[in-house]
Amino acid sequence: MCGILALIHANASETSAASELHEALYKLQHRGQDACGIATCAVRGKIYQCKGNGMASKVFGEDGARVGDLAGYMGIGHLRYPTAGTSANAEAQPFYVNSPYGICLAHNGNLINAHELKRFLDYDAHRHINTDSDSELMLNVFANELNETGKARVNEKDIFAALARMYNRCVGAWACTAMLAGYGLIGFRDSYAIRPLVIGSRNSDNGIGKDYMMASESVALVQLGYSDIRDILPGQAVIIKKGSPPIYDQVQPQKRYAPDIFELVYFARPDTTIDGISVHQSRQAMGYKLAETIRRKLKPKELSEIDVVFPIPETSNTSAACVAERLNKPYSQGFVKNRYIFRTFIMKSQKAREQGVRRKLNPMPLEFKGKNVLLVDDSIVRGTTSREIVNMAREAGALKVYFASCAPRITHAHIYGIDLASPSELIAHHRDEDMIAKHIGAVKVIFQTLDDLKTACAELSPRANQEFEVGVFCGSYVTPVDPGYFEHLERVRGKSRKMKIMESAREAVANGSAGHEEIAMASNGVEVTSEGKVVPASVEGLISEDGAHVNGDRNERKRDSHEDMITSRERMDISLHNFGDY
């Protein structure tokens, strides 16, 4: 899950595109806290860029001082939530290639045939890939297809044709915004509409022509004064040339219209509308459906002894209120949320997530003392957060704690751009509801049924027979998936966790809380097993992964793991300056 943006002013003499994009980043900051960036284009096609690891306030300064360096009348923006790959500065987006024509790309999603694309770009297209990001792969595939025109200047037909060929090569989920230097903006979405993308317009400041904006969520457009908002459809692309209205094209036939239901459950802001479905209303419907499931699952005596319903703020606030209403129970805010803490499932280690829960939430003992409580959360992923919350409720004086989830049991990997956890880390993987309740310390745990979740959202859709991507709940994904992909995904996740685990081990050693394994990691580095687990490095060193090789390095894949931990974090984008250069 990432946030993407694009904006173009009708007046090419405007220089405030970056300022608006910067403001929009804050509207979508919930979609990615790992890194962010903006690239703009000014007259004569000159591109300016600023990006780096961290939230928008860090990358652009508390007062947005660095935004002033980004001249231009159009630009694109990105907020990164890490999926496949590492957390290196070099993987902050937008990505840029100078050939052909100067292209910048911001990508939300995940490509599940990245290995195949790497080989194509290496052996056939002869294009160098400098990071582990699948977004860089997509950009280079598009650039290669666009280069096939052989023209000094391209038109919309050339661009749509190149996108169509790119779609034929890429498998997975994507919503993208792109910028062609001196030409205009491009937006496009996969043929299943898994990841969201909307477009809107407004009258320009001088009243001549219209400004256009694209974003992952409609709230970013609304708050900047854009209207006439519509979704980019499955397999559809749009080109907005400077001074011209949008041109749409169906670059690939719609295969299904199946947006990721997790956007509605958790990720999107409640004041957003995605594919015609109000996020707020969908969460209300989830609450009413969940209440009926709770009524069926609990015995009459258990239901009658519940004194109050508490949400786990903030995503579940709407659903919990509807649960309380339907069950005819009091609703109250039992936890106070610190808004300045990262989303805990994004944190780099289990220990950090546990500590993060207590920093993020503070129970009010007056609300809990002597009561039997029903806690309602949007979902249960690893169970780390849920267990800590149950402990906090008991410490605050709760007698009995029941726990309900607006989402069904999460049992499978998410493969379309949301790195929830490995299957082995998911609390519902090989555990039933009773085992989960015991694990988190609750009297009982009640999950929404998958049919109820789909119905709650589909009933609000403007389309009949609305489908959703629900693979995390049942293992049935909307795109074809190669059986070997999941093993590959575990290896990639293991590699991306290496640096984070090394950092955590060094912090533990520094503050004197390290165990034997953490000391070994800090001293000797780490390696990834074939199952994707990160363990202290052995004498033999790191395992190697088969794949495309660069300039004859086939037999030179082993390297010192300590050095790898440092250089991967400090590696910069070689094309344009970014936050890490300063």
Side-chain angles (χ1 to χ4, degrees):
M1 177 196 70
C2 296
I4 60 172
L5 297 157
L7 182 149
I8 185 167
H9 287 142
N11 184 359
S13 63
E14 284 275 359
T15 59
S16 60
S19 178
E20 287 196 66
L21 288 168
H22 177 243
E23 183 177 349
L25 289 178
Y26 288 95
K27 312 299 182 190
L28 300 184
Q29 186 74 79
H30 60 284
R31 298 189 66 85
Q33 301 167 345
D34 192 64
C36 64
I38 293 173
T40 60
C41 183
V43 292
R44 295 187 294 277
K46 187 170 184 180
I47 293 175
Y48 300 83
Q49 177 177 269
C50 174
K51 64 178 185 176
N53 283 347
M55 299 172 73
S57 59
K58 176 185 176 184
V59 173
F60 296 97
E62 292 288 348
D63 57 354
R66 298 198 65 208
V67 175
D69 298 334
L70 306 175
Y73 63 95
M74 67 174 175
I76 62 175
H78 188 269
L79 294 145
R80 183 181 73 191
Y81 161 73
T83 51
T86 72
S87 298
N89 274 290
E91 296 187 0
Q93 297 187 43
F95 279 114
Y96 165 78
V97 291
N98 68 344
S99 177
Y101 316 118
I103 311 170
C104 292
L105 177 84
H107 168 225
N108 175 26
N110 189 51
L111 302 181
I112 61 177
N113 66 330
H115 181 70
E116 176 186 331
L117 295 176
K118 285 180 183 177
R119 292 190 61 86
F120 164 73
L121 291 168
D122 188 2
Y123 291 107
D124 297 325
H126 311 305
R127 298 186 70 93
H128 176 70
I129 302 301
N130 200 51
T131 74
D132 296 323
S133 172
D134 59 340
S135 304
E136 188 186 12
L137 296 177
M138 172 168 270
L139 171 59
N140 276 272
V141 172
F142 174 52
N144 180 71
E145 298 299 343
L146 199 56
N147 195 52
E148 293 298 312
T149 64
K151 293 182 177 180
R153 297 289 184 271
V154 289
N155 56 37
E156 61 268 20
K157 290 183 180 179
D158 299 321
I159 295 171
F160 286 138
L163 283 172
R165 294 192 295 272
M166 184 204 76
Y167 273 55
N168 289 334
R169 292 193 182 277
C170 297
V171 181
W174 59 85
C176 299
T177 55
M179 180 171 65
L180 203 61
Y183 181 87
L185 299 178
I186 309 166
F188 52 94
R189 199 175 179 193
D190 67 71
S191 299
Y192 301 86
I194 299 171
R195 302 262 64 86
L197 185 62
V198 295
I199 182 173
S201 64
R202 71 178 181 197
N203 293 328
S204 65
D205 287 342
N206 62 10
I208 302 173
K210 287 184 177 291
D211 302 333
Y212 294 93
M213 184 176 179
M214 290 180 279
S216 298
E217 295 186 29
S218 61
V219 62
L221 278 64
V222 170
Q223 295 202 2
L224 288 173
Y226 288 80
S227 58
D228 298 325
I229 298 170
R230 53 156 290 184
D231 296 286
I232 304 298
L233 300 175
Q236 188 179 61
V238 59
I239 294 173
I240 314 171
K241 295 188 289 187
K242 55 184 179 182
S244 301
I247 303 169
Y248 296 91
D249 188 72
Q250 193 70 34
V251 295
Q252 190 175 74
Q254 176 178 317
K255 295 179 179 177
R256 293 168 70 178
Y257 204 140
D260 187 350
I261 206 165
F262 229 94
E263 290 277 358
L264 302 172
V265 169
Y266 178 70
F267 286 111
R269 280 178 47 154
D271 47 351
T272 281
T273 298
I274 293 179
D275 293 301
I277 301 172
S278 162
V279 176
H280 175 70
Q281 290 182 339
S282 72
R283 290 174 185 168
Q284 286 181 316
M286 290 176 208
Y288 292 130
K289 294 285 188 183
L290 179 59
E292 296 306 318
T293 300
I294 293 170
R295 200 184 294 277
R296 291 194 305 269
K297 292 276 186 176
L298 295 185
K299 297 174 182 177
K301 182 181 178 181
E302 292 173 322
L303 189 59
S304 66
E305 70 181 10
I306 292 174
D307 297 309
V308 63
V309 177
F310 291 136
I312 308 305
E314 291 178 326
T315 315
S316 65
N317 287 1
T318 303
S319 298
C322 294
V323 168
E325 176 189 333
R326 187 59 54 91
L327 295 179
N328 196 27
K329 298 289 182 179
Y331 169 81
S332 182
Q333 294 283 343
F335 293 93
V336 177
K337 181 180 179 181
N338 180 348
R339 299 172 187 272
Y340 304 100
I341 297 292
F342 284 174
R343 283 184 156 179
T344 51
F345 83 94
I346 294 177
M347 291 181 174
K348 62 189 177 184
S349 70
Q350 178 102 336
K351 190 172 183 179
R353 284 188 290 272
E354 291 170 356
Q355 294 171 343
V357 174
R358 295 206 173 241
R359 294 192 190 107
K360 184 175 74 170
L361 297 176
N362 186 46
M364 293 185 283
L366 287 175
E367 293 292 319
F368 284 90
K369 189 174 181 180
K371 296 178 182 177
N372 299 317
V373 302
L374 171 61
L375 305 182
V376 178
D377 207 350
D378 50 77
S379 58
I380 304 176
V381 183
R382 295 178 178 90
T384 306
T385 300
S386 305
R387 186 171 61 245
E388 285 299 310
I389 287 171
V390 171
N391 288 337
M392 291 161 64
R394 291 191 183 281
E395 290 167 8
L399 299 178
K400 292 183 180 180
V401 180
Y402 295 87
F403 206 102
S405 168
C406 295
R409 294 165 63 246
I410 299 173
T411 54
H412 292 76
H414 196 293
I415 64 173
Y416 299 121
I418 304 173
D419 190 15
L420 292 177
S422 299
S424 60
E425 297 173 315
L426 297 170
I427 191 172
H429 190 68
H430 299 319
R431 284 190 181 98
D432 61 22
E433 291 185 1
D434 290 338
M435 295 170 68
I436 294 170
K438 183 178 180 181
H439 183 81
I440 70 171
V443 176
K444 277 194 176 180
V445 172
I446 303 98
F447 287 92
Q448 183 92 264
T449 68
L450 182 54
D451 285 343
D452 280 350
L453 176 62
K454 291 192 290 186
T455 300
C457 299
E459 288 177 345
L460 298 167
S461 173
R463 293 165 297 278
N465 303 314
Q466 176 68 63
E467 296 181 279
F468 295 98
E469 159 50 34
V470 293
V472 290
F473 305 118
C474 60
S476 178
Y477 301 95
V478 297
T479 69
V481 184
D482 186 279
Y485 175 72
F486 296 99
E487 183 179 341
H488 162 76
L489 185 62
E490 289 308 297
R491 291 198 302 270
V492 171
R493 280 177 170 153
K495 289 174 67 178
S496 68
R497 287 197 298 268
K498 282 165 55 179
M499 180 176 63
K500 296 177 181 179
I501 290 176
M502 274 290 291
E503 289 177 350
S504 179
R506 288 171 180 161
E507 289 173 6
V509 170
N511 62 33
S513 63
H516 176 74
E517 187 175 75
E518 289 171 312
I519 293 173
M521 288 178 173
S523 302
N524 304 321
V526 298
E527 64 183 8
V528 185
T529 68
S530 59
E531 293 81 25
K533 291 185 63 177
V534 179
V535 298
S538 62
V539 177
E540 290 76 14
L542 297 176
I543 65 169
S544 61
E545 182 179 3
D546 294 335
H549 305 279
V550 179
N551 295 335
D553 72 345
R554 184 179 301 274
N555 297 314
E556 301 174 7
R557 299 295 288 175
K558 292 183 180 180
R559 66 180 71 180
D560 179 78
S561 61
H562 177 75
E563 177 183 318
D564 188 44
M565 291 306 104
I566 298 173
T567 56
S568 65
R569 188 71 180 180
E570 296 179 349
R571 189 174 71 242
M572 299 299 165
D573 185 338
I574 61 174
S575 59
L576 292 170
H577 77 268
N578 60 48
F579 175 75
D581 297 333
Y582 291 84

